[in-house]
Amino acid sequence: MAAHIGRRLRKGAATTAVAAAAVAALSASQAPGATVDDQGRQNTGDATSAPDTAADDSATGNSPYYTDLPPLNSPAPSPSAGSGEAGDRSAAEAGIPATVLDAYKKAEAALREKKAGCNLPWQLLAAIGKVESGQARGGRVTADGTTVTPILGPQLDGNGFALIRDTDNGAYDGNRMYDQAVGPMQFIPSTWSWAGRDGNGDGRKDPNNIYDAALAAGHYLCRFDWDLSEPGDLRKAILSYNNSTEYLNTVLSWLEYYRKGTHEIPDGTGALPEDRSDARPGVTPSAPGTTPPARPGKPSGSRPSPSPSAPGTGSPSAPPTTPPPPTTPPPSTPPTPTDTVHHLEDAGTGTLTAMAGHTFAERISTRAETEAGKAVAKVRIRFTIVGDTDTTFAGGESVATVTTDASGVAVAPALQAGEKTGAFAVQAAVAGRSVKGVPYKVTVTQRVADALTRVGEKELTCVAGGEFAEPVEVKATYGGEAAGKVAVTAKLVTSADDPAENDKGPYFKDADGKAIRTLTGLRTGPDGQLTLPKLYADGTAGTFLLRLTTAGGATLEVELTVEPAATPSPDPDPSADPDPSTDPSTEPSETPAV
């Protein structure tokens, strides 16, 4: 008992100290327009860049979470460090089950490769995992990372929690009426449907698997191009996971604790959390995976009727039987704005076309309406990219959720065209409700250039049968800006008036060393520049033209000069220039001997 009281006192002191430190650390990095509502939840006024943190669009649906705080003393380097109950408790809480720890570190490594600018620390995943499920209930997972038993939050039926009706037909949470947060990172089904990842390479996206859930949490925290090394972005990312200031401060306290040091412990031996955010005086908090307790003041079932005396007993002492007062049914849950939406309409979206690698100038606008055609505000509209494309919304995600404004309109984040050209669709739908949506046709066109210029002014010459010492370098631009990854064709033509391929003069070489005079498949670099392969000359002298064309119609003609080879001096004619030493007419005659 004393130990339990000591735990409570220490927790209270820790709560005050850590919360104060967290608030002080964050005050300097508050986003412009940040406010705190009457529920203690923190929001920002930047609707275009801040996440939509409505319940069914947060990772957890703003489900309950564990509020246990770290011990006041620093984490021990090993389970055996420390002494007494406080030391043992610190060591246990600083330790992270082996499989769970491995999942966090692998998720960090994957995000470092995929989204290096996010700067996701694995300790943040560990802090969220601690607060959401006590590190998968102390590491009760199988060898592949799947929880031994499902970890479920309470059903989100609006009774003390958010109201999120079933979105997965019970596929993940087994509940066909309301959604429940699932797994060690406590994703609600509607979020997992787009945020889920396969972290252990088994071909499945399972929210009950710590490898899958940790990788999904990492991607979720890194959307919107947030840099988690920046306090402001870190705050927004955590609040988007569960929109509560207390949640933010609790996660930050564990993040700081794990950054000071932690260690691996065997699976299944982690410390289990004790306190949960939905606990009330006199009510035992329910652990994830159990049915939440009945709430004070709420009927938990039908009221039993008193049994009247059996007929014929004639008991004079029995009071007269009176009928029970009529039972008043609990008031029905008032409809939410989402409940009143009958259909969606396009809100004046223009043509959605952009060049590969560019940002779409037009943004998708969708209006939520009642059956009578009236606008519905405060409705979450989910925009989903559908089809074979690498185009994404800003931040690299294929799904974005935006809340309608007072005019019932939600404007999706800007689309960023990938490299795959062609048409695909973006589907607008009401989050958490099946009503008539709106499909939008989107087209990505190939990269083009409107100008092509040569880099350098030196004349390009060589002798017949030789090779050009200077390479041909060009730069493509579009609207005055460098046009990277633009397709270029290089062709040696007969003349300025005859685009036919020349059959003599300069040439390129293919992979086998054979002469070719047309090159396709060339592309400019990110800076718009392109250096052509080496040019050679056959035995024909003269002036020749190299024509370069790009997608988009930009053309450039480069003049190449082939000079005649040097003529060697002819061999001398012996008859024309006799050697005096061998001419008989010049030899002295012999004088006969006397």
Side-chain angles (χ1 to χ4, degrees), residues 363-423:
R363 293 170 66 176
I364 297 173
S365 297
T366 302
R367 175 181 160 96
E369 297 183 354
T370 64
E371 187 173 7
K374 293 184 178 180
V376 184
K378 299 182 179 179
V379 175
R380 276 83 57 197
I381 306 300
R382 178 163 294 134
F383 300 93
T384 305
I385 297 173
V386 181
D388 183 17
T389 181
D390 54 353
T391 295
T392 64
F393 290 109
E397 298 294 341
S398 60
V399 177
T401 304
V402 181
T403 302
T404 57
D405 58 18
S407 63
V409 175
V411 180
L415 285 163
Q416 179 66 41
E419 295 303 321
K420 290 184 178 179
T421 59

Side-chain angles (χ1 to χ4, degrees), residues 104-156:
Y104 296 150
K105 291 185 175 181
K106 285 186 175 177
E108 179 198 53
L111 267 296
R112 191 185 305 121
E113 178 182 350
K114 297 291 185 181
K115 295 185 177 182
C118 179
N119 294 306
L120 171 80
W122 65 261
Q123 291 92 341
L124 176 59
L125 296 176
I128 291 176
K130 179 70 173 182
V131 172
E132 293 294 347
S133 68
Q135 309 299 18
R137 303 298 292 157
R140 295 184 66 240
V141 296
T142 60
D144 70 347
T146 303
T147 56
V148 175
T149 56
I151 301 176
L152 296 174
Q155 68 177 17
L156 300 175

